[in-house]
Amino acid sequence: MKLQFLSFDIPTRLARNTVFHWGVSLMFSWSCSNPPEQSANLLKSDSTLNVEYAQGFAIDYYENQKVLSLATANDTLRYLLLPADETTYPDLEAEVDQIVRIPVQRVITQSTTHLAFLKMLGHTDVVVGLDKAAYVYDSLFTNRAASGLIQEVGSGNTLNTEQVVSLEPDLIFVSHMPGSDLSAYQKFIDLDILVLPVAEWTESTPLGKAEWLKLFASLLNKEEFALTKFSRTEEAYTTLAQLTQSVAEKPSVIVGTPFQGTWYVPGAESYRNALLQDAGADWAFSQDSTAVSFPVDFERMYDLGLQAEIWLDPGQSLNTKEVLGIDSRFADFSAFQSGRVYNSNRRLSASGGSNDYYESGVVYPQRILADLIKILHPELLPHHQLYYYQQLLE
């Protein structure tokens, strides 16, 4: 990726973050299908952080400097993570796209998953701005927002420039949709405010998503702590997944509901399919690698629904009446008639605007897997209480 480096005066504390610079053009689409590419110009690193499941990033160490590499669809973005007290220009300057002074002390987040990562690392205090508090489940953050310690700044095209500048963030953590670019954030880059895309949601496995904890840790100098935390998550998840490896019968499932007339389903390379397979489910599209998610006509899904033993995640429904409100033909589904319909909306905020499944679930994939095993094979986890999921009643 070709990036432009221009010169600016940096009169504020933002200068701590940007030793050189610059207006940087960040026009790219995002993909984790390929890992970050190695740079032919970079010196051989002293060591590399162990990243086993995540495909979207890598961290290399050069004495007291680090290079964070992020994979995009067509290229690799590189960030030099430089100690705040470093007074000399680093040798790696010419090979990176942006420079971040670490540990970061003030950040703006654009996704609730970013909050979950920072909370697990014990650094909730670095958050000074977020999209909208109503989208957040964790009361720790909503209370800080209510007291003014965290400000709502919007996101994307609605991101409030004046507010962002006044907060003097070290960087903005950005999350965006597949195929989109970061042009909405160009004005902040032009103002020397660092923008760091976080794409944990593009990973194809639950542990791959959870492992992005290490990226956040690298910005806080908490890698050792993150390695310990993630190791515990990995052990808990893999122990649960092993429970279903020898099950004789795998219940058939149907997933989701149509959206605006189209029923999208998870394919073989998707995070959702990985969870279903680890939980011991019989999912009709588990071998279809056409795409991560793809549309299936209603008639085919209706036929599957007539036979599937369990129905997972029927839209936003809180009860079976709301399920029938989507389409009355769902009453014909086998799972509907047997009462085996479950949704991952047990933990909603009081306003209903946020769902903890999409927030803390990223760092606790073992809780999601335990719920699914309890639903599919209750005999394997007789004492587990559903955490994110609930059975839908009338």
Side-chain angles (χ1 to χ4, degrees):
M1 180 182 299
K2 182 64 177 175
L3 301 172
Q4 285 187 313
F5 285 66
L6 305 176
S7 297
F8 290 89
D9 291 327
I10 308 169
T12 71
R13 69 183 299 277
L14 294 174
R16 294 190 303 106
N17 309 321
T18 49
V19 180
F20 316 99
H21 323 240
W22 41 23
V24 182
S25 177
L26 288 176
M27 299 287 289
F28 59 86
S29 57
W30 195 269
S31 171
C32 279
S33 58
N34 297 306
E37 295 181 355
Q38 293 293 319
S39 170
N41 298 322
L42 272 176
L43 300 172
K44 180 177 174 55
S45 62
D46 298 328
S47 61
T48 300
L49 186 68
N50 180 40
V51 178
E52 187 172 352
Y53 300 92
Q55 297 294 308
F57 74 95
I59 298 169
D60 294 295
Y61 295 88
Y62 300 83
E63 295 185 351
N64 64 335
Q65 302 169 21
K66 315 172 194 176
V67 172
L68 164 63
S69 301
L70 294 172
T72 71
N74 304 311
D75 209 332
T76 297
L77 275 178
R78 291 188 177 82
Y79 295 77
L80 178 62
L81 311 187
L82 195 64
D85 58 356
E86 180 74 55
T87 57
T88 58
Y89 283 6
D91 295 336
L92 303 170
E93 169 198 353
E95 307 304 328
V96 300
D97 301 307
Q98 297 194 55
I99 295 179
V100 184
R101 289 288 191 175
I102 57 170
V104 295
Q105 298 178 35
R106 298 172 65 83
V107 304
I108 290 175
T109 69
Q110 297 281 275
S111 168
T112 58
T113 58
H114 305 164
L115 302 177
F117 285 122
L118 291 168
K119 182 176 181 180
M120 177 167 272
L121 293 170
H123 279 276
T124 57
D125 57 323
V126 301
V127 180
V128 296
L130 49 75
D131 180 3
K132 193 170 184 179
Y135 301 154
V136 178
Y137 178 84
D138 194 320
S139 60
L140 188 152
F141 293 104
T142 56
N143 289 339
R144 287 175 63 83
S147 64
L149 295 173
I150 296 176
Q151 292 188 25
E152 296 180 335
V153 297
S155 66
N157 292 324
T158 68
L159 198 56
N160 187 307
T161 304
E162 186 175 339
Q163 253 187 311
V164 169
V165 172
S166 69
L167 288 172
E168 298 186 350
D170 293 332
L171 59 82
I172 305 173
F173 289 116
V174 173
S175 183
H176 59 111
M177 298 302 291
S180 67
D181 58 53
L182 290 177
S183 57
Y185 299 94
Q186 186 64 48
K187 58 186 175 185
F188 299 104
I189 296 168
D190 292 342
L191 291 169
D192 299 315
I193 298 174
L194 299 180
V195 174
L196 196 151
V198 178
E200 93 288 339
W201 50 268
T202 62
E203 297 289 344
S204 60
T205 67
L207 288 177
K209 291 179 68 172
E211 201 168 22
W212 280 69
L213 179 75
K214 297 176 182 177
L215 178 145
F216 285 85
S218 71
L219 295 158
L220 296 160
N221 290 332
K222 295 284 293 276
E223 288 97 321
E224 289 300 322
F225 182 80
L227 286 169
T228 300
K229 281 286 188 181
F230 180 76
S231 178
R232 292 172 182 167
T233 300
E234 178 188 28
E235 181 180 4
Y237 187 93
T238 55
T239 298
L240 285 167
Q242 288 170 1
L243 292 176
T244 66
Q245 296 307 301
S246 59
V247 293
E249 299 290 337
K250 295 186 175 182
S252 56
V253 300
I254 187 170
V255 179
T257 52
F259 176 71
Q260 296 181 345
T262 303
W263 199 316
Y264 286 91
V265 301
E269 305 302 323
S270 70
Y271 155 85
R272 294 291 303 279
N273 182 61
L275 275 170
L276 291 173
Q277 299 314 301
D278 288 339
D282 177 13
W283 169 233
F285 302 98
S286 65
Q287 302 301 314
D288 193 325
S289 58
T290 307
V292 172
S293 175
F294 49 88
V296 177
D297 61 71
F298 183 89
E299 288 72 22
R300 185 175 183 191
M301 294 305 294
Y302 179 78
D303 288 341
L304 287 173
L306 295 177
Q307 303 298 324
E309 298 166 77
I310 296 171
W311 190 1
L312 298 170
D313 298 307
Q316 303 298 316
S317 304
L318 294 169
N319 53 58
T320 55
K321 287 184 177 178
E322 292 184 5
V323 172
L324 294 182
I326 301 172
D327 195 312
S328 61
R329 289 173 290 182
F330 292 153
D332 300 333
F333 283 11
S334 175
F336 187 92
Q337 295 179 358
S338 65
R340 302 186 73 184
V341 183
Y342 297 85
N343 211 349
S344 54
N345 54 8
R346 183 184 184 87
R347 294 170 62 81
L348 298 178
S349 62
S351 66
S354 59
N355 184 346
D356 195 32
Y357 174 85
Y358 298 108
E359 189 169 312
S360 71
V362 70
V363 293
Y364 295 108
Q366 69 272 31
R367 292 177 180 172
I368 299 175
L369 181 59
D371 275 7
L372 291 173
I373 293 175
K374 177 70 174 183
I375 292 168
L376 293 159
H377 304 281
E379 73 282 1
L380 296 178
L381 293 175
H383 304 298
H384 176 71
Q385 300 294 317
L386 295 180
Y387 191 83
Y388 294 115
Y389 275 85
Q390 62 178 338
Q391 186 175 18
L392 298 192
L393 305 173
E394 186 176 358

